[in-house]
Amino acid sequence: MIFKMVHAHILRLPSVFIFSLSVFLGIFLAAIFHRYRVSDILPSQLEISHSLSYLRWLQSINISFPSLDDDKTKMTVSETSFLKNKVRVLCFVMPQYKDSSSLLAYFGAGPGGGPSFDAASAIVKTWGRRCNKLVFFGHSPRIRPPGVSVLPIRNGVAGSWNALREALVQVAVSYQDSYEWFLKVDLETYVIVENLRYYLAIFDAAQPHYFGHVYETWDSQYNAGEAGLVLSRGALRKLHNSFIKGLCDGDSRSGDVGLGRCLADIGISPSDTRDSRGRGRFLALDLEEHLVQKDSLWRNSYWTKSRYKTGEGPHCCSDFAVTFHAQANTIYILEYLVYHLKPFGISTPLVPLH
């Protein structure tokens, strides 16, 4: 009965009004549908998927994957080893606090002779081994593993632009001709270095690139220090030249903000590093904070400052995520989950017997 009354009322309306209403509703619904679909489209500047770009890069250097019928004994190098030699990454670790106890304890035994669980030790024993070169900035310990460099920071408070600027000068002078990419992280960071190389492989390191998780304020954009950030050789060289010219003088602001503003002054902006489904690669929070919805001030600040939004829960993070913010004990946990834990049977094909 109500439907008939509404239908009769509509029939009495002028046809022009009905037509206009229909057009408006059509445009409104189309806009909603388009907005929904756009959320599933590649958010970054790349118009094709990263995996396809990577395969094209391999083809450009005459590398291909073997087929199932190829003789596997002829394979002389794994893809991981190949990328380690082709995409050379120097990782440098900055202290987060003035006179950081982690940088004083470092790699030896903890209090009372027990095992040390400080972040510097955790990095050296886990993901730091996969960098082509690992460098720490801070107080030099009496005992250190072979191949680990500890360079002093003479000026500035840890975490400041003064300190980071000094570290960047040392990295540029000593290493910019030996490596293509330079990863800067804080002590409380876990890095999946293989995923980093996979992401970086398609980019020209001679060009100025600045990768990470982009924060935005009213006057600047910069990559969050908690998520780690990457500079290409081209960006580091351009940055170092600006230091030589007396630009980007040190000040008391935080290191990541200072770096972002300095790079902006010389024409280098942070890039959108999300994957083709809008999920984050460089993650500024603990993994739990990304996966489990919580109402914390830090989390709210993260969502407010993020220039490129990511999802929550399982949709937060790329399958090829690069970094997580992580304390020392979590670094060991992530190392086990990523490199050692294997669910049985999911990657083993069964061949029927005839």
Side-chain angles (χ1 to χ4, degrees):
M1 183 66 181
I2 294 176
F3 174 78
K4 290 181 178 180
M5 292 175 62
V6 172
H7 184 261
H9 179 70
I10 290 176
L11 290 178
R12 288 196 294 269
L13 293 174
S15 58
V16 174
F17 175 78
I18 295 176
F19 175 77
S20 300
L21 180 62
S22 301
V23 171
F24 172 78
L25 289 174
I27 294 175
F28 177 71
L29 292 174
I32 292 177
F33 177 76
H34 177 71
R35 184 176 182 182
Y36 171 77
R37 293 302 302 169
V38 164
S39 66
D40 294 330
I41 297 176
L42 182 66
S44 70
Q45 297 89 334
L46 297 176
E47 295 181 357
I48 55 177
S49 70
H50 186 274
S51 58
L52 181 57
S53 298
Y54 176 73
L55 291 175
R56 289 180 176 176
W57 172 74
L58 288 176
Q59 292 174 354
S60 72
I61 56 176
N62 299 318
I63 297 294
S64 62
F65 292 102
S67 67
L68 293 176
D69 296 328
D70 287 340
D71 184 1
K72 302 299 187 299
T73 61
K74 296 180 179 179
M75 296 177 62
T76 58
V77 63
S78 69
E79 191 171 3
T80 296
S81 299
F82 169 78
L83 286 177
K84 185 172 184 179
N85 293 325
K86 193 70 176 178
V87 185
R88 294 173 298 176
V89 180
L90 178 141
C91 307
F92 67 100
V93 185
M94 298 292 295
Q96 293 161 277
Y97 313 104
K98 184 177 181 181
D99 298 327
S100 169
S101 60
S102 293
L103 287 174
L104 293 173
Y106 256 137
F107 318 110
S116 173
F117 291 102
D118 66 273
S121 178
I123 289 172
V124 170
K125 295 174 182 177
T126 58
W127 64 263
R129 300 174 298 172
R130 302 181 186 101
C131 300
N132 294 87
K133 177 71 174 179
L134 177 63
V135 176
F136 287 86
F137 284 95
H139 299 288
S140 181
R142 290 175 296 176
I143 302 174
R144 73 186 73 170
V148 175
S149 299
V150 183
L151 303 178
I153 296 178
R154 297 177 178 83
N155 301 310
V157 176
S160 70
W161 171 230
N162 276 319
L164 179 56
R165 187 180 186 277
E166 182 182 345
L168 287 166
V169 169
Q170 294 191 57
V171 169
V173 170
S174 301
Y175 302 113
Q176 73 175 352
D177 293 327
S178 301
Y179 304 94
E180 288 82 28
W181 300 95
F182 303 87
L183 169 68
K184 175 265 177 187
V185 297
D186 295 333
L187 275 169
E188 295 181 348
T189 309
Y190 185 80
V191 183
I192 304 176
V193 182
E194 294 86 351
N195 289 352
L196 175 62
R197 291 195 179 97
Y198 168 64
Y199 177 68
L200 296 175
I202 67 172
F203 297 100
D204 182 0
Q207 298 301 313
H209 294 292
Y210 174 37
F211 297 130
H213 178 82
V214 186
Y215 278 166
E216 183 176 47
T217 62
W218 67 273
D219 64 341
S220 63
Q221 291 185 12
Y222 61 94
N223 284 322
E226 300 91 348
L229 58 90
V230 180
L231 294 173
S232 65
R233 177 191 288 166
L236 181 62
R237 179 169 285 122
K238 195 171 181 180
L239 185 65
H240 187 224
N241 288 338
S242 74
F243 296 157
I244 294 173
K245 295 175 182 177
L247 305 176
C248 301
D249 289 337
D251 55 33
S252 60
R253 76 185 71 178
S254 67
D256 48 357
V257 175
L259 177 60
R261 290 181 178 175
C262 181
L263 289 171
D265 289 343
I266 57 176
I268 303 174
S269 301
S271 300
D272 180 2
T273 59
R274 294 174 297 172
D275 68 11
S276 59
R277 296 171 63 183
R279 300 174 300 181
R281 282 190 172 93
F282 294 81
L283 300 153
L285 303 179
D286 294 344
L287 182 56
E288 180 182 357
E289 293 282 339
H290 285 286
L291 291 174
V292 182
Q293 296 185 15
K294 294 182 179 180
D295 187 20
S296 66
L297 292 176
W298 189 18
R299 181 181 176 83
N300 291 336
S301 174
Y302 168 82
W303 287 108
T304 301
K305 293 190 295 185
S306 293
R307 172 67 178 86
Y308 303 107
K309 308 302 182 186
T310 58
E312 297 182 84
H315 303 292
C316 66
C317 316
S318 173
D319 292 347
F320 295 98
V322 173
T323 62
F324 297 96
H325 185 266
Q327 296 180 350
N329 57 338
T330 306
I331 289 176
Y332 289 111
I333 293 171
L334 288 171
E335 177 77 4
Y336 170 74
L337 293 176
V338 172
Y339 291 97
H340 299 283
L341 181 63
K342 295 180 177 64
F344 175 77
I346 65 172
S347 61
T348 306
L350 294 179
V351 180
L353 297 176
H354 298 289

